[in-house]
Amino acid sequence: MERTRRLSACLLAVLLLCFLLPTWAATPQNTTTVLFTHDLHSHFLPQPDGEGGESGGYARLKTALDRERAVHPDALTVDGGDFSIGSLVQVLYTTQGAELRTMGTLGYDATTAGNHEFDHTGTGFAAMLNAVAGSGDPAPALLMANYKPANDNPDKLDIQRAMASYGVQDYMLLERGGITYGIFGLMGVDSNDCAPASGFVLGDLVSNAQRCVDALKAEGAQFIICLSHSGTNEKKKLSEDERLAEKVNGIDLIVSGHTHTTLAEPIVINDTYIVSAGPYCQNLGSITINWSPDGGKHLSDYRLIPIDETLPEDTDVTTLVDRWKGLVGGSYLGRYGLTYDKVLTRTDFDLLTPESGIQGGNALGELVADSFLWAVENLEEDSPDVPTVTVTADGVLRAPLRTGEITASMAFDVLSMGVGSDGTSGFPLVGVYLTGKELKAAAEVDASVTPLMPAAQLYMAGLEYSFNTHRMFFNRVTDIQLHWETSTEVSPGQISVKSVFDDIQDDQLYRVITGMYSAQMLGTVKSKSLGLLSLEPKMADGSPVTDFEACILRDKNGSEIKEWYALAAYLQSFGEEGVPSRYARPDGRKDVSRSWNPIELIKSPNWITIVTLLVLTAALILIVILVRWLIAAKRRRRYGKGNRW
């Protein structure tokens, strides 16, 4: 009897399973593959990777794309913005639009704009769009849902015409493999902050994203992709794309750019996948998702495909890139007597960009600061004979110099940001004046603001200083002096070099040389330091700077001295002997202590430290008084008051 009941139960289970199988089989399953990049930064050509190989290059990227498309013929190819600014080819941005035209050749379906697309201001962005539209070459759709020309932008109409000519849209529908995709693009808050000269205004990310999602679904989109130049961050409150996924319903995939993040695995929030492949064409990202119309998703495959020397170069893309290189030489480098691959010198050691969040010296930063000082002495026409300090910042050092030959294009890559008043790529050097008190404050910015803003870390020439990272904010610098070298010929062919140190006088004006971007940021120090520090750039007569273009350094021909060319010329001065060994490591001009020695922590206090110590002392006294009162009160309750035996 028991056996019969078991057999009946098994038969019933089989019957139920047979009933359910057709239902499960009838649930439609779709597969989507998306190939993605972001933060390409004009990296048309491979770069040394520091390990004997190479990384990046669009001819190799094309090979990787072709291989993936052979396996996934219905794959979409998209980009998360900042496709420009980062190599010499960027000098063709406004006249040729080389970036978007090359992406068209690579077969990109869509991209969005990042902050660096506005380094040439809104009018430069418009000129680029016109150049691409006028070429007739294929180019990806450009999607910008929350970034529009400001109403008070005098060039608003011209920019809008250029955007219309190119076909810039908030979002698009794309049918591929029987699936209708909805794609839209966003600019992030921090990204917008990094484009102060864009002349555009930022719309709210969440409301605009939800607007696009709702509109795309109403128009038949089955799978929705957001191309976001916002980024992710280990700190959740700074991770804009994670917050976007939490607040907006209906986004299936976010391709996240701006923060140069490399995600080994997707971040999944509320059934939204967030992916990043890393910057500079280092990888091609590929994600495959199986999904059903009811919203169910399953990650089938996620890979970051290295773009390196193991990949052959596509010949058509190689030919196109060579064409761009030729145009760069003819239209830009000729005025400097250089070519794209001109060897300036060599180095027997790596000069690396600063490690984020680590306070201290950096040999590359010191080399760049020294090159600015060299440019003042060797390139500037009528350089004033006054004490001079040169400054560069962590955030403008964009590429390392690897062991081996250093070419003109490599020097440009280090300082590739911005555009000058002459309309050509590269920030110019500017000369402003600060008082000795403000010069000390600049060192304090490096010591105190860097932990909050790593890009603000400074590297200087002509100044040496020490600070302790454990001292009170804005009172961390303990010693500071001017430093320069004098050369004397002691005998034919023999030069004696002597180091000279001098104290800084608070009321004296000192000349400060830096790039245009860094100079413009000096005025923001007051707000960044909560009003505790202030730097007001001045003219030689002590009056405030009202137009930084009047402070641009010029050579004997009246041309701007670009940051990158100051570095290139300084490197070229080393000749065949190569970069001096003194740059193999930081030279100690910035001495950083992390000691907890009490004497070192409180010596030479300024008013900030004194007030803080007084407040802490007062608080400690109050705590002691309160504790004693509580103890006395407890005793009174325990033994009573005024009792007699």
Side-chain angles (χ1 to χ4, degrees), residues 112-379:
T112 192
N115 51 289
H116 283 289
E117 272 67 83
F118 298 91
D119 276 14
H120 288 257
T121 74
T123 56
F125 175 69
M128 181 273 296
L129 295 179
N130 285 329
V132 177
S135 72
D137 289 346
L142 183 55
L143 307 175
M144 300 167 57
N146 69 326
Y147 211 50
K148 310 296 179 185
N151 288 331
D152 60 356
N153 187 333
D155 301 303
K156 177 181 177 181
L157 289 178
D158 289 338
I159 296 171
Q160 287 178 324
R161 291 190 189 101
M163 292 173 70
S165 176
Y166 184 91
V168 177
Q169 307 169 70
D170 288 12
Y171 57 81
M172 67 180 292
L173 290 170
L174 176 65
E175 197 279 332
R176 184 72 55 79
I179 298 171
T180 301
Y181 293 95
I183 312 174
F184 67 99
L186 293 178
M187 175 76 80
V189 175
D190 185 74
S191 184
N192 172 61
D193 290 344
C194 294
S198 69
F200 277 51
V201 291
L202 183 73
D204 180 69
L205 274 73
V206 172
S207 61
N208 278 283
Q210 194 65 65
R211 170 179 63 85
C212 290
V213 170
D214 294 343
L216 286 165
K217 285 189 173 181
E219 295 178 30
Q222 300 166 275
F223 192 96
I224 294 179
I225 301 170
C226 173
L227 308 180
S228 175
H229 201 73
S230 304
T232 56
N233 192 291
E234 291 180 356
K235 297 179 180 179
K236 191 64 174 292
K237 65 180 181 179
L238 300 178
S239 193
E240 294 185 40
D241 281 327
E242 288 189 72
R243 298 206 309 272
L244 182 71
E246 288 175 341
K247 296 179 180 180
V248 178
N249 296 318
I251 302 175
D252 295 297
L253 176 68
I254 297 175
V255 175
S256 177
H258 181 56
T259 50
H260 291 199
T261 305
T262 304
L263 292 176
E265 297 292 338
I267 297 172
V268 184
I269 295 178
N270 293 342
D271 217 24
T272 297
Y273 285 78
I274 304 172
V275 297
S276 295
Y280 308 132
C281 195
Q282 294 170 349
N283 300 297
L284 169 65
S286 174
I287 183 169
T288 299
I289 298 173
N290 294 330
W291 55 276
S292 58
D294 62 8
K297 295 192 191 76
H298 169 70
L299 180 64
S300 174
D301 182 47
Y302 181 79
R303 288 172 297 130
L304 301 181
I305 303 153
I307 308 302
D308 57 24
E309 70 281 358
T310 64
L311 292 171
E313 297 187 349
D314 180 88
T315 55
D316 290 339
V317 176
T318 298
T319 300
L320 178 59
V321 173
D322 285 342
R323 177 191 169 202
W324 299 138
K325 286 176 60 178
L327 290 174
V328 169
S331 65
Y332 186 80
L333 291 178
R335 75 192 72 171
Y336 299 105
L338 298 172
T339 58
Y340 199 100
D341 296 316
K342 169 74 175 178
V343 176
L344 304 174
T345 188
R346 59 169 289 106
T347 175
D348 295 326
F349 43 86
D350 286 341
L351 288 149
L352 303 178
T353 51
E355 186 176 350
S356 180
I358 304 298
Q359 287 183 275
N362 174 266
L364 178 61
E366 292 166 6
L367 172 70
V368 169
D370 288 350
S371 75
F372 293 174
L373 197 58
W374 184 90
V376 170
E377 297 167 352
N378 295 274
L379 300 179

Side-chain angles (χ1 to χ4, degrees), residues 31-44:
T31 299
T32 289
T33 297
V34 179
L35 309 176
F36 61 92
T37 58
H38 53 87
D39 299 293
L40 290 171
H41 286 296
S42 301
H43 272 54
F44 288 76

Side-chain angles (χ1 to χ4, degrees), residues 471-484:
R471 282 172 62 93
M472 182 62 58
F473 270 105
F474 310 121
N475 189 203
R476 290 183 169 179
V477 176
T478 53
D479 297 292
I480 184 168
Q481 286 183 308
L482 294 173
H483 172 233
W484 67 92

